[in-house]
Amino acid sequence: MMLPTEVSRREAITLIASTLGLLITDVKVDAEELNMPVPKFDYDVVIVGGGPSGLSAALVLGRSCRKVLVCDEGTPRNHKSHAVHGYFSRDGISPEGLLKIGREQLKPYAVEWRGVRVTNAEKLDDGFRVDIGDGKSVVARKLILATGVKDKLPEIDGLPKLWGTSVRHCPYCHGWEVRGKPWAFLDRGEQAVDWGLELLGWTPNLTLCSNGPAGLSDAGHRILKDRNIEVREQKIERLESNDGALNAIVFESGRRLEVGVLFVRTVTTQRSPLPKSLGCKLESVDGALIDSVPTDMFGATSITGLYVIGDASRGASQVTTAVSEGSMAAVMVNKTLIREDAERT
C-alpha cells in the first residue's frame, strides 16, 4: 500500500486501519500521541462507607449510569445488633443480611467495591484524590462520606459487653421486642423528663437511673412522679448479667434494680478522620454529638463537592433515615454533575 510522502502518524494509522477493516479504537495508540484528551478522573464518585446510607447512594448513582467506587472497612456501627427494625419490607433482618442484599444489588451497575479503610483524602481544584491503601490513590469528581460515628459508652462495669443486646439506644428500633417489661434508662437533666415520657409508650414500668445527681428541677421531679417513673440517683457500680442478658443494675449502696433492658443516651463522635482533615465545618451538642458535620438537606457540606450522609452528619441513628439521606444525596450529586458537564460545553 502506497502512502503519501508527508503524512502524520495519526493519518497513517487511520488509513491502515481503514484498509484492514479495523476500528481505530482497536489500535493501541497513546491518547497523547493522537491529541486526544486524557481522562482526568478515575470515577465520577467515590463513596467512603458501605453501610445503609453509602449503599443507598451507590445504588442510585449506579442506576444513573455513573462510575462509582465504594470503599468500606466492614465494621458497621450496628454490627452487634441482632436485627434491623422499622425498615419497610426488611423488618427484623440481620444487619449483615441487609448489607449483603445491598451489595448484591449493585452488581448490574458500574459500581466497584473495595474492602479497604480510607484514612486520607485531598481536595483538588476540581475533584478529590482518595488514598485506597497500598500506596494507591484514585481521583473522583465528587466524594461522599458515609463513614458513620462511634458511640462513647458510659463508663460502667459490665455495660460494654451488653451494648447492642440488653443495653440499647433507640426504642423505635428495639422497643417492641421488650415492650411491657421493666425498663431502666440512663440519663440526667431536663432532657431525661422528655425521654422518660417518650419511653412510657412501650412500658409502664420505668426507672430513671442518673448515676449520680439527676439534675432535675422541682417541676421535672413532679412530672416523673405523677407518671410513676421512679428516679434512682445513686451511683451505679455495675451491670449484672447472665449469658449476655441483663439481670440487674447494682448500685454502690448495694441495692439492686432488677431489669432486663437499659436504654442509654450515648455521645457519638466521628468514626473517620476524613471530615476534619478535609476541612469540614464541625459542630458539637453537649452530651450528644461531638464533631457532627452540618449539611444541607442533600448532604452537601461547606466543602464544594463533598457530601456527608448518615450518622456522621445529623446523628439520626435509624437505618431508614440513613437510606433516605443516601438516596437524596445521590440524586443531587448526579444533577450537579449534569449541570457541570453542560457548563463545560
Side-chain angles (χ1 to χ4, degrees), residues 67 97-98 102 133 146 181 226 286 288 299 333 345:
K67 188 178 181 182
L98 179 64
K181 296 180 179 180
D226 289 344
D286 188 38
V333 167
T345 59

Side-chain angles (χ1 to χ4, degrees), residues 89-106:
S89 84
R90 290 291 184 267
D91 188 53
I93 191 172
S94 67
E96 61 270 23
L98 179 64
L99 298 182
K100 182 179 179 180
I101 292 173
R103 291 191 293 268
E104 287 289 326
Q105 291 184 343
L106 294 177

Side-chain angles (χ1 to χ4, degrees), residues 98-345:
L98 179 64
L99 298 182
K100 182 179 179 180
I101 292 173
R103 291 191 293 268
E104 287 289 326
Q105 291 184 343
L106 294 177
K107 289 184 177 179
Y109 312 108
V111 178
E112 183 180 345
W113 180 278
R114 292 181 185 240
V116 296
R117 176 178 174 83
V118 176
T119 57
N120 188 56
E122 178 186 358
K123 179 73 173 74
L124 307 176
D125 291 338
D126 187 14
F128 296 84
R129 178 179 290 109
V130 182
D131 295 342
I132 57 174
D134 295 330
K136 299 177 181 178
S137 63
V138 297
V139 179
R141 296 175 67 181
K142 306 296 177 187
L143 178 60
I144 297 177
L145 301 182
T147 45
V149 294
K150 297 183 293 185
D151 293 282
K152 184 179 179 182
L153 301 177
E155 296 181 358
I156 296 174
D157 186 30
L159 188 150
K161 68 179 182 181
L162 298 175
W163 175 243
T165 55
S166 296
V167 178
R168 309 177 180 191
H169 74 286
C170 176
Y172 295 96
C173 300
H174 306 293
W176 169 263
E177 286 67 33
V178 288
R179 67 194 183 281
K181 296 180 179 180
W183 288 14
F185 67 108
L186 184 63
D187 205 355
R188 62 181 61 182
E190 294 305 310
Q191 66 178 10
V193 177
D194 293 335
W195 202 25
L197 297 178
E198 189 173 12
L199 294 178
L200 283 176
W202 285 268
T203 179
N205 192 338
L206 190 60
T207 302
L208 167 62
C209 296
S210 57
N211 196 27
L216 298 173
S217 65
D218 291 341
H221 274 289
R222 285 195 301 270
I223 291 172
L224 296 182
K225 183 178 179 180
D226 289 344
R227 287 158 178 79
N228 296 317
I229 299 177
E230 184 182 1
V231 178
R232 295 280 190 99
E233 297 187 88
Q234 306 100 309
K235 293 287 290 184
I236 297 173
E237 180 181 292
R238 68 182 188 278
L239 300 187
E240 189 177 275
S241 61
N242 184 34
D243 293 330
L246 176 64
N247 290 334
I249 298 172
V250 181
F251 299 95
E252 289 183 350
S253 63
R255 297 184 61 187
R256 293 162 47 89
L257 175 64
E258 294 186 357
V259 290
V261 63
L262 172 65
F263 281 85
V264 302
R265 288 186 188 271
T266 62
V267 176
T268 61
T269 186
Q270 290 293 326
R271 188 182 187 89
S272 167
L274 292 175
K276 185 175 182 179
S277 65
L278 285 166
C280 284
K281 179 182 178 182
L282 301 173
E283 294 180 348
S284 298
V285 178
D286 188 38
L289 305 171
I290 297 175
D291 290 344
S292 176
V293 182
T295 68
D296 68 10
M297 64 181 296
F298 298 105
T301 69
S302 56
I303 307 299
T304 301
L306 177 64
Y307 296 74
V308 176
I309 56 178
D311 292 351
S313 60
R314 304 175 188 178
S317 304
Q318 288 184 300
V319 171
T320 49
T321 305
V323 169
S324 175
E325 288 191 8
S327 177
M328 292 175 64
V331 169
M332 183 52 62
V333 167
N334 189 57
K335 287 179 178 289
T336 301
L337 291 171
I338 292 172
R339 185 182 69 249
E340 290 176 354
D341 289 340
E343 291 173 350
R344 289 191 180 100
T345 59

